[in-house]
Amino acid sequence: KKGRMIAVVGTVPDGARHDALGLYAPHSQQVNGRLAFVKTDDKEIMLWYCPRNYGSGCWLIGQSRSLGKFCDAYFYVRDEVARPQHVAKLWCHKEGSGSSCIWKKDSCCIVVLGTDHLMKLKKGMAVDTEVAVVCEITREQRDKDARKRAIDLEDETPRRRAKTALAVVEKRVAMAKSICSVVVEKRRRELLRPSLEEYNDDKIDENELSRRKSAACKKAIEEHLQLTTVDNAYAVYTQAVSARETAEAAEFAADAALEAALRDCESEAGPSGLVKSEAKS
């Protein structure tokens, strides 16, 4: 079936390729048996699937010259889902360039949405991201997924549940920011328009224009109360999560130390509970 346009939205760290976010149109041909997409305003940036790289398949966003391969990527996520809209994991991003570049794991909360669902978000309508896109799967695949979910439920721990909840929150934050970013970008352009005219009239140089661009972006964000509120609330939330994880790690270490001490003490006791040396006497 012919694919529809998709929107890649979310939050990425400073220094990552922010220009990779935006609208993508379906590529003319499938790549590695899956749909591929090309950015509408930059044909050099594409999104595609790469099968079985170091043990598992990946979805990547990167340079079109490496279409179908695991190289020249800006972002990737290890997930073998049929379409990128189904991905429910954090993405990784590349930091640096050339031989000195490194991959930062689970560093980006990127969401891939169909354009119809993006329009719903802009209008303030609710979107169930878990069922946003429907694909055709075989009975064997459904049975396999059901078995996997059963195993996951058996192995579920409070720590895993907390990690899952965090991923859901991060996804919602990214979607909220994508909604606000439309208004923020419009305001940023309004604030920057006089500076662009001055630059075109050679009244300011590139350095001053760059400084004003940063200032306009900062001011546009500060003026958007909802985005500022989300940012502040999310900062408090992440601090609380970090504190909880630190406390859990301390509890785990203390529990291990106590267990070791108890076992050492109990090893000196016989079946009746008496110390071995007393039992002999």
Side-chain angles (χ1 to χ4, degrees):
K1 294 181 179 180
K2 184 178 180 180
R4 296 181 179 180
M5 291 183 65
I6 61 173
V8 178
V9 300
T11 56
V12 298
D14 292 338
R17 292 295 296 263
H18 291 77
D19 58 332
L21 302 179
L23 291 175
Y24 285 71
H27 188 47
S28 58
Q29 296 180 345
Q30 288 193 348
V31 177
N32 294 324
R34 308 283 177 91
L35 286 174
F37 301 85
V38 57
K39 199 163 187 289
T40 55
D41 60 354
D42 188 345
K43 306 302 181 184
E44 298 300 316
I45 300 179
M46 295 189 65
L47 186 155
W48 68 88
Y49 178 78
C50 180
R52 295 291 173 182
N53 178 72
Y54 297 108
S56 64
C58 303
W59 284 97
L60 303 97
I61 302 174
Q63 299 179 36
S64 59
R65 66 187 181 189
S66 299
L67 183 62
K69 303 176 183 178
F70 190 89
C71 56
D72 292 331
Y74 307 136
F75 306 97
Y76 85 90
V77 59
R78 292 194 180 280
D79 204 327
E80 297 183 336
V81 291
R83 297 188 180 182
Q85 297 96 313
H86 300 163
V87 171
K89 299 179 180 179
L90 294 176
W91 290 61
C92 309
H93 85 283
K94 183 185 292 184
E95 189 172 274
S97 59
S99 59
S100 61
C101 72
I102 57 174
W103 282 103
K104 294 289 186 178
K105 293 186 177 180
D106 302 336
S107 58
C108 308
C109 190
I110 294 176
V111 182
V112 182
L113 298 173
T115 51
D116 52 342
H117 295 95
L118 184 61
M119 291 303 297
K120 286 185 178 181
L121 287 174
K122 290 180 180 179
K123 295 177 181 178
M125 299 171 65
V127 174
D128 184 352
T129 57
E130 297 301 323
V131 296
V133 180
V134 179
C135 66
E136 296 179 356
I137 59 175
T138 63
R139 176 178 295 179
E140 290 76 9
Q141 183 63 42
R142 285 197 298 270
D143 292 342
K144 180 180 177 181
D145 292 342
R147 289 193 297 270
K148 184 178 186 301
R149 283 194 296 271
I151 294 173
D152 288 343
L153 288 173
E154 291 177 359
D155 295 339
E156 189 173 9
T157 63
R159 181 171 295 182
R160 176 176 290 184
R161 286 196 296 271
K163 187 174 182 181
T164 301
L166 177 60
V168 172
V169 169
E170 289 176 335
K171 190 171 184 178
R172 290 184 64 195
V173 169
M175 293 174 66
K177 287 188 173 184
S178 70
I179 299 170
C180 298
S181 64
V182 177
V183 179
V184 170
E185 177 61 17
K186 182 179 179 180
R187 178 56 177 156
R188 185 191 72 84
R189 290 176 180 273
E190 292 175 353
L191 293 171
L192 192 59
R193 189 175 297 115
S195 298
L196 290 173
E197 292 176 356
E198 290 184 38
Y199 176 74
N200 291 331
D201 293 337
D202 295 328
K203 293 181 179 180
I204 60 174
D205 57 15
E206 290 186 5
N207 292 332
E208 177 62 17
L209 179 62
S210 178
R211 187 192 69 78
R212 293 189 185 185
K213 283 182 178 180
S214 299
C217 182
K218 182 178 179 181
K219 183 174 177 58
I221 292 174
E222 291 174 348
E223 290 180 355
H224 198 289
L225 181 60
Q226 288 179 323
L227 180 58
T228 303
T229 302
V230 169
D231 283 337
N232 292 338
Y234 184 58
V236 173
Y237 174 80
T238 53
Q239 290 176 1
V241 170
S242 178
R244 186 200 70 221
E245 291 176 345
T246 301
E248 287 179 348
E251 180 185 358
F252 181 80
D255 180 70
L258 177 60
E259 179 68 19
L262 290 173
R263 287 185 179 181
D264 184 59
C265 180
E266 292 164 352
S267 67
E268 294 297 320
S272 63
L274 296 175
V275 176
K276 292 179 181 179
S277 58
E278 294 179 355
K280 291 181 180 180
S281 63

